[in-house]
C-alpha cells in the first residue's frame, strides 16, 4: 500500500457566463500508508471535488498529488490505481452483482477473482444476492455493490464519497463496522468523505474538517472534538452543538452580561466568543455557580437530559446536559457552572482560537 500526498491542490471551476467557483483553495495533506482519513464538511465545501481530483476525474487547477511518491497529475484515471466508490454508484444493468463487483478485476486479470468477490460481498451483506441484477436492488444494496467493487480491486488508495448515504440506519451501522474491518485488514490508504460527523469521528484515524474550499483543521477525532482550532470547527463538530456566547475579554475575565463574568486563563482584551459544550455545563448550587438563569425547555432523552436555559442579559440560550429524568419545569431557576478546562475562547472577528 502507498501513502498519499496532497500538495497545495486547488480547483477553480470556470464556466462561460458564470462567476468562477474556487471549490478547493490550497489543500495540503499527507495520508499515511494504511490510514483512514475522514473528510468532513458542509455541503458544497469542496469534498467531492477534492476526491475527484485525486481520482483523476477532474484536473487540478494547481498543486500536486502523489501516490507512493509518484505524481498523479496528468495521468488518466485508469492509470492511477485508485479505487473509488462515489455516492452516485454506476452499476452495469446487464451484469449480475458478482460481475459488477468483479468488473475492475476482470479488466486487470486478477487471480482468485471469484473467492475475493464472494468474500467481500458476504462481509458487506451482499452474499445472498450475488446472482441478482441491479434493477431489482434497493439503493442501499446498489451502493454496497459499488463499495465492494472499489474494495475488491486492491487499490493503492481507496476514495469513498458518502459511501453509506443510501443505507438505512441499521445497515449503515453494520456496514460501517465491516468497512473499517476490511480497510484495516487489507491496509488500504483511504479517504472517506462524509457530511456525517458521527461517521467521521467513529471511523477515521484522523479527520480533516473543511469549509468553503479551505482545510480548517486536521487531527485525531479527539483533537478535533476536544481542541478545536477555530469557531467553525467548534460549532460544526458535536451534537448537540457547542454553546457559543458573545462576550468581552479584559483582565482575565470574560464578561457575558452586566452581571455575568467568567474567569479565564487567557490574557488580552477585546471581543470574544466563549464556547462550552452542553456536557461541560453543570447544574450546581448557587454558591458554586457562574450564573443563574431560567429553564425554557427540558428534554428527557433517557440517557441524559437537555436543559435550555436563559441567562439574564445574554442573548444566546445555554444548553446544559443533565443526568436523565431531572424533570425541570419551564420557568424554574437553575444555577450553572462551566467546566473551566473545557471552556474555549475564540476571536470574534477571525474565529481563531485564543489560548
Ligand atoms: N462541475 C462543476 N462546475 C462548476 N462548479 C462546480 C462543479 N462541481 C462542483 N462545483 C461547485 O464547487 C463547490 C464544491 O462542490 P463539491 O466539491 O461538490 O462540494 P461537496 O462535495 O463538499 O458538497 C460548490 O460550490 C459546487 O457548486
Ligand atoms: Mg459531495
Amino acid at each position: 500500500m502507498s501513502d498519499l500526498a496532497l500538495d497545495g491542490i486547488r480547483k477553480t471551476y470556470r464556466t462561460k457566463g458564470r462567476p468562477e467557483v474556487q471549490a478547493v483553495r490550497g489543500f495540503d495533506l499527507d495520508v499515511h500508508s494504511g490510514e483512514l482519513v475522514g473528510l468532513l464538511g458542509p455541503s458544497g465545501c469542496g469534498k467531492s471535488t477534492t476526491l475527484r481530483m485525486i481520482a483523476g476525474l477532474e484536473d487540478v487547477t494547481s498543486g500536486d498529488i502523489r501516490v507512493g511518491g509518484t505524481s498523479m497529475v496528468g495521468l488518466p484515471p485508469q492509470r492511477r490505481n485508485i479505487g473509488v466508490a462515489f455516492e452516485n454508484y454506476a452499476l452495469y444493468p446487464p451484469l449480475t452483482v458478482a460481475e459488477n463487483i468483479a468488473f475492475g478485476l476482470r479488466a486487470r486479470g486478477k487471480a482468485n477473482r471469484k473467492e475475493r468477490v464472494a468474500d467481500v460481498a458476504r462481509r458487506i451483506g451482499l452474499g445472498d444476492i450475488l446472482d441478482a441484477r441491479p434493477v431489482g436492488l434497493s439503493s442501499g444494496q446498489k451502493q454496497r455493490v459499488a463499495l465492494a467493487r472499489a474494495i475488491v480491486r486492491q487499490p493503492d488508495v481507496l476514495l469513498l464519497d458518502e459511501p453509506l448515504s443510501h443505507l438505512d440506519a441499521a445497515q449503515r451501522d453494520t456496514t460501517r463496522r465491516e468497512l473499517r474491518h476490511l480497510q484495516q485488514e487489507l491496509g488500504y490508504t483511504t479517504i472517506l468523505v462524509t457530511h456525517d460527523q458521527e461517521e467521521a469521528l467513529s471511523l477515521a484515524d484522523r479527520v480533516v474538517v473543511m469549509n468553503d474550499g479551505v482545510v480548517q483543521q486536521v487531527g485525531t477525532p479527539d483533537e478535533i472534538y476536544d481542541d478545536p482550532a477555530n469557531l467553525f470547527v467548534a460549532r460544526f463538530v458535536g451534537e448537540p452543538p457547542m454553546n457559543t456566547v458573545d462576550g468581552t475579554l479584559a483582565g482575565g475575565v470574560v464578561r457575558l452580561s452586566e452581571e455575568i463574568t467568567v474567569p479565564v486563563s487567557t490574557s488580552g482584551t477585546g471581543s470574544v466568543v466563549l464556547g462550552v459544550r452542553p456536557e461541560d455545563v453543570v447544574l450546581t448550587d448557587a454558591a458554586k455557580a457562574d450564573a443563574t438563569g431560567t429553564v425554557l425547555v427540558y428534554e428527557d432523552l433517557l440517557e441524559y437530559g437537555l436543559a435550555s436555559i436563559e441567562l439574564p442579559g445574554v442573548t444566546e440560550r445555554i444548553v446544559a446536559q443533565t443526568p436523565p429524568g431531572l424533570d425541570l419545569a419551564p420557568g424554574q431557576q437553575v444555577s450553572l457552572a462551566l467546566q473551566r478546562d473545557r471552556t474555549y475562547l475564540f476571536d470574534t472577528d477571525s474565529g481563531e482560537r485564543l489560548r
Side-chain angles (χ1 to χ4, degrees), residues 13 21 23 42-49:
Y13 289 109
V21 179
S43 182
C45 75
K47 303 181 298 293
S48 295
T49 299

Side-chain angles (χ1 to χ4, degrees), residues 54 63 65 80 228 250 300:
I54 300 169
I65 298 165
R80 310 180 183 195
D300 194 344

Side-chain angles (χ1 to χ4, degrees), residues 145-167:
V145 175
L147 181 60
R149 181 173 58 192
I151 290 171
V152 87
R153 61 176 287 194
Q154 299 188 304
D156 292 330
V157 170
L158 181 63
L159 303 177
L160 307 173
D161 194 345
E162 311 264 3
L164 310 176
S165 58
H166 293 287
L167 278 59

Side-chain angles (χ1 to χ4, degrees), residues 130-154:
L130 280 170
D131 296 324
R133 311 232 173 233
V135 66
L137 304 184
S138 70
S139 52
Q141 287 171 323
K142 287 182 195 164
Q143 197 168 31
R144 279 179 284 159
V145 175
L147 181 60
R149 181 173 58 192
I151 290 171
V152 87
R153 61 176 287 194
Q154 299 188 304

Side-chain angles (χ1 to χ4, degrees), residues 27 43 74 78 90-91 101 110 127 136 148 172 177 191 219 241 260 265 289 321 352:
F27 196 123
S43 182
Q78 60 276 15
L91 305 182
I101 296 173
K110 293 261 162 84
R172 192 177 306 142
R177 270 195 293 278
I191 300 185
I260 304 173
S265 54
Q321 184 175 321
E352 288 306 309

Side-chain angles (χ1 to χ4, degrees), residues 97 101 120-130 141 144-145 148:
V97 165
I101 296 173
V120 171
R122 182 181 50 73
R123 289 177 59 176
I124 63 174
L126 299 170
D128 296 338
I129 56 165
L130 280 170
Q141 287 171 323
R144 279 179 284 159
V145 175

